[in-house]
Amino acid sequence: MDIYDTSRTTTQIVTDYHRAKEVQAFDDTKAGVKGLVDAGIVNIPRIFIRPPEELVEELTSHQTNFQVPVIDLDGVRGNKLEEIVDQVRAAAETWGFFQVVNHGIPLNVLEEMIEGIRKFNEQDVELKKEFYTRDRTRNVRFNSNFDLHYSRTANWRDTLTISALASTDLDPNEYPEVCRDAVREYIKNVTKLAET
C-alpha cells in the first residue's frame, strides 16, 4: 500500500493514486487501522483523507444545535409504560435513534464490555485476523469500515461486530477469547433490555 507522501506535488498525487488498489491493499492486511498505527505509519494513507471540498460542504451545510432524544426507562415496568413507548416511537420516527437512561444494565457490565473490546483491539494482530471478514453472514466479524470498498473516504476505525440476534444460538467459543465473558454478560443484559 502506498502511504500518502506530503512531499509530492498535487499532480503526482492525483496521477499516481489508485483508490481501489490502495483500499484492497489495506483490506488484504486484515490488520485494520490499528495495524497501520502499530506498523508505525507517519502519514495517513490517502484513502482516509477527505477532499477539502467535501469538508467545506459539511462545515457550511450542517447545523450544530442538535439534542439527541433521551428516554428515561425508569418506570417502564410500571405506570409509565405507555408514555415511554410513545417517546420511543416519536424518537424512532423523527431521529431514527435515541439515548436511553435508567436502562438497568449495571455499570460494571458496561465497563467490562468496554475493557474487553479494548483488550481485543490491543491483542496481537494475528489473533484479530482470525475474525477479519467482510462476510456479513458471519455472526462474529472484525473489519475496518463496513463500507470500505464503496465509500468516498474511509473512516479511521475498526469494528468488532457480534450479532446479538444470533447470540443465543452461538457457541461461546465463537467469541474472541480475550473478551468472551464480557460479551456474554453484555449480550445477556442487552437482550433483557430489548425484551423489556
Side-chain angles (χ1 to χ4, degrees):
M1 172 197 297
D2 294 332
I3 304 299
Y4 180 62
D5 181 356
T6 55
S7 67
R8 296 166 64 190
T9 67
T10 304
T11 306
Q12 287 173 314
I13 292 169
V14 171
T15 58
D16 294 347
Y17 180 61
H18 300 283
R19 185 180 188 288
K21 183 179 174 183
E22 287 194 19
V23 164
Q24 191 62 54
F26 167 73
D27 205 28
D28 287 346
T29 69
K30 297 184 177 188
V33 170
K34 178 90 168 49
L36 292 174
V37 174
D38 291 347
I41 66 159
V42 177
N43 296 306
I44 296 173
R46 177 123 186 240
I47 64 173
F48 295 100
I49 299 174
R50 293 176 68 192
E53 62 276 5
E54 186 180 311
L55 292 172
V56 168
E57 177 185 314
E58 184 173 307
L59 289 173
T60 59
S61 66
H62 288 61
Q63 297 177 354
T64 57
N65 296 337
F66 290 117
Q67 179 62 43
V68 173
V70 176
I71 298 175
D72 187 345
L73 295 183
D74 188 36
V76 73
R77 294 188 186 275
N79 60 348
K80 293 186 180 180
L81 176 62
E82 191 173 325
E83 176 186 342
I84 293 170
V85 168
D86 288 342
Q87 291 173 0
V88 168
R89 181 182 301 112
E93 288 174 354
T94 58
W95 282 78
F97 59 91
F98 49 87
Q99 176 185 356
V100 294
V101 295
N102 295 318
H103 43 66
I105 300 175
L107 181 59
N108 69 309
V109 171
L110 299 172
E111 289 171 343
E112 288 170 13
M113 184 64 185
I114 291 169
E115 179 65 11
I117 297 305
R118 187 197 59 73
K119 286 178 180 177
F120 174 83
N121 283 294
E122 292 294 328
Q123 70 183 339
D124 184 81
V125 70
E126 294 304 316
L127 294 170
K128 292 191 295 189
K129 282 182 180 182
E130 295 175 30
F131 297 95
Y132 197 95
T133 184
R134 296 223 167 263
D135 180 355
R136 302 189 111 208
T137 64
R138 292 224 354 229
N139 294 316
V140 179
R141 59 190 182 275
F142 164 67
N143 63 41
S144 183
N145 291 267
F146 70 91
D147 60 351
L148 178 67
H149 289 275
Y150 53 88
S151 65
R152 286 172 58 181
T153 308
N155 289 303
W156 191 254
R157 71 162 178 248
D158 294 329
T159 304
L160 175 65
T161 302
I162 300 174
S163 173
L165 295 175
S167 65
T168 55
D169 298 328
L170 279 179
D171 175 350
N173 292 324
E174 289 187 58
Y175 300 138
E177 183 177 358
V178 71
C179 59
R180 185 173 296 148
D181 293 338
V183 167
R184 290 176 68 193
E185 189 63 24
Y186 179 78
I187 288 176
K188 182 177 85 176
N189 278 272
V190 169
T191 301
K192 182 179 172 184
L193 173 60
E195 290 168 354
T196 298

